[in-house]
Amino acid sequence: VTPVRSRPRAPQLPDRVRRLRPYVPGRPAQQVRRELGLDAVIKMASNENPYGPSPRAIAAIQAAAASVGSYPDSACHDLVQALASHLGVPPEQILLGNGSDEIIHYLGVAFLEPGDEVLSGHPSFLRYEAAATLNDATHVAVPLADFRFDLRAMAERLSARTRVVFIANPNNPTGTVVTRLELERFLEEVPERVIVVLDEAYFEYAVDEEYPDGIEYVRGGENVVVLRTFSKIHGLAGLRVGYGIARPEIVSAVHQVREPFNVNSLAQEAAQASLLDSDYVAAMRRANREGHDYLAAAFDDLGLRFVPSHANFILVDVARDARAVFEQLLRRGVIVRTDPAFGLPTFLRVTIGTPDQNRRFLRELADILRS
Ligand SMILES: Cc1ncc(COP(=O)(O)O)c(C=O)c1O
């Protein structure tokens, strides 16, 4: 006789896992097409490059396609060398990740212990909190002031338990920057055992003369980790490749905890090709600035308050329930972003698109706001 077995109980989750807030990504255009039966859907929700990658990156992916039977180079040797010469830093100060997301995760795993504090701003990139929670650390989020990281207020929140500080510069979702002077004053206050992560995912788009290049602080020997990515201006979000620049001891600590083959071979090839295509990057930067100025002027015409941006997205105040406007835009095939976690219930974040996409978004938005 087969013994009757009750259904196994659901596994008990550790607190740190239960407390994690799942990340809700921007909806993929295909999903919206499928679910709403729409033909022409545009996604202006995840701060991707609307023009996609450089033709040289696409050619590199095609050329490398037949080699995916082998594991990728675990050390990413060629890409590390290319980045080292491009950035003017020694190769042992460069680390690569499956997106800069993964490096944020590894920094948490490598450096955080239960009870530590992770200091950041609010609203900012949501993965900093996840890195804290997953490692039983406390996320201390200091409100932005006038949509900018308030480094003075953050300096006051440094404590004996602070271990990692995350500064998104430019910040997501506001597109604002901290200046060189603000950053340097803050770094002077930071105790030696604290690691300051300057997340520069949108570095290439920033236009402020006072905008600091975080690598200078790594060169100066500070406990600073600069994060950059191929997902944004390089248009390679789908391949997942980001990088960090830090002192060699920090790079070694991440190597201790990382997956051995965390950056796939197509990503390594595409990133190298894209790095060499500086004309493409410059063209993307110009197109983004034109798109920014076009949207900004249109928001002015519509009487909408917005936050001037140093990135490839703009936060705009639609002065009513942003969720409802988001849903209406979605039904018209335009995907933008609003998130309760931003704590900005009347704001939409829209990725700067191609001229056609920007025009279509504005047409639909104006129509919705009139009704
Ligand atoms: C501030 C910031 N950091 C990091 C990332 C992660 O980028 P990726 O993992 O694609 O390199 C993003 C993506 O939106 C971001 O906005």
Side-chain angles (χ1 to χ4, degrees), residues 243-292:
Y243 57 102
I245 305 105
R247 48 195 288 178
E249 298 85 346
I250 294 177
V251 172
S252 302
V254 172
H255 282 310
Q256 294 266 102
V257 300
R258 78 172 167 94
E259 295 290 328
F261 302 110
N262 59 330
V263 183
N264 71 75
S265 42
L266 301 185
Q268 294 187 35
E269 294 297 333
Q272 273 179 79
S274 191
L275 201 59
L276 296 177
D277 198 350
S278 49
D279 289 348
Y280 189 78
V281 171
M284 295 299 105
R285 183 180 155 92
R286 275 195 304 275
N288 184 69
R289 201 36 41 198
E290 283 166 19
H292 174 277

Side-chain angles (χ1 to χ4, degrees), residues 159-282:
S159 81
R161 293 168 145 196
T162 311
R163 186 74 173 111
V164 179
V165 179
F166 285 102
I167 300 170
N169 199 34
N171 186 37
N172 176 6
T174 57
T176 52
V177 295
V178 298
T179 65
R180 195 171 286 120
L181 190 64
E182 288 168 330
L183 183 60
E184 285 172 12
R185 285 200 178 132
F186 178 76
L187 290 175
E188 278 169 21
E189 304 283 320
V190 174
E192 260 179 41
R193 64 189 157 67
V194 175
I195 293 173
V196 178
V197 181
L198 298 175
D199 183 345
E200 298 180 351
Y202 304 97
F203 173 82
E204 297 87 348
Y205 293 112
V207 284
D208 193 319
E209 295 212 332
E210 297 304 315
Y211 175 69
D213 174 346
I215 294 177
E216 282 175 29
Y217 306 102
V218 178
R219 286 202 191 93
E222 307 258 7
N223 273 338
V224 163
V225 180
V226 173
L227 296 183
R228 300 214 184 137
T229 182
F230 286 93
S231 298
K232 304 301 176 184
I233 206 159
H234 291 277
L236 292 168
L239 277 183
R240 314 301 301 123
V241 51
Y243 57 102
I245 305 105
R247 48 195 288 178
E249 298 85 346
I250 294 177
V251 172
S252 302
V254 172
H255 282 310
Q256 294 266 102
V257 300
R258 78 172 167 94
E259 295 290 328
F261 302 110
N262 59 330
V263 183
N264 71 75
S265 42
L266 301 185
Q268 294 187 35
E269 294 297 333
Q272 273 179 79
S274 191
L275 201 59
L276 296 177
D277 198 350
S278 49
D279 289 348
Y280 189 78
V281 171

Side-chain angles (χ1 to χ4, degrees), residues 5 43 59 61 184 198 235 265 296 328 339 341 349:
R5 282 187 49 187
K43 185 176 175 203
I61 295 165
E184 285 172 12
L198 298 175
S265 42
Q328 291 181 70
D339 192 318
R349 191 195 68 195

Side-chain angles (χ1 to χ4, degrees), residues 46-47 98-102 104 125 128 168 170 172 199 201-202 229 231-232 240-242:
S46 299
N47 307 337
N98 186 38
S100 47
D101 272 345
E102 191 192 40
I104 294 168
F125 190 49
Y128 310 147
N172 176 6
D199 183 345
Y202 304 97
T229 182
S231 298
K232 304 301 176 184
R240 314 301 301 123
V241 51

Side-chain angles (χ1 to χ4, degrees), residues 284-329:
M284 295 299 105
R285 183 180 155 92
R286 275 195 304 275
N288 184 69
R289 201 36 41 198
E290 283 166 19
H292 174 277
D293 295 348
Y294 175 77
L295 288 173
F299 292 148
D300 276 338
D301 288 346
L302 290 169
L304 300 178
R305 193 163 69 109
F306 65 93
V307 185
S309 175
H310 292 276
N312 65 342
F313 54 85
I314 307 186
L315 195 61
V316 58
D317 186 357
V318 291
R320 65 190 74 184
D321 178 16
R323 187 77 214 172
V325 178
F326 164 86
E327 291 291 347
Q328 291 181 70
L329 281 167

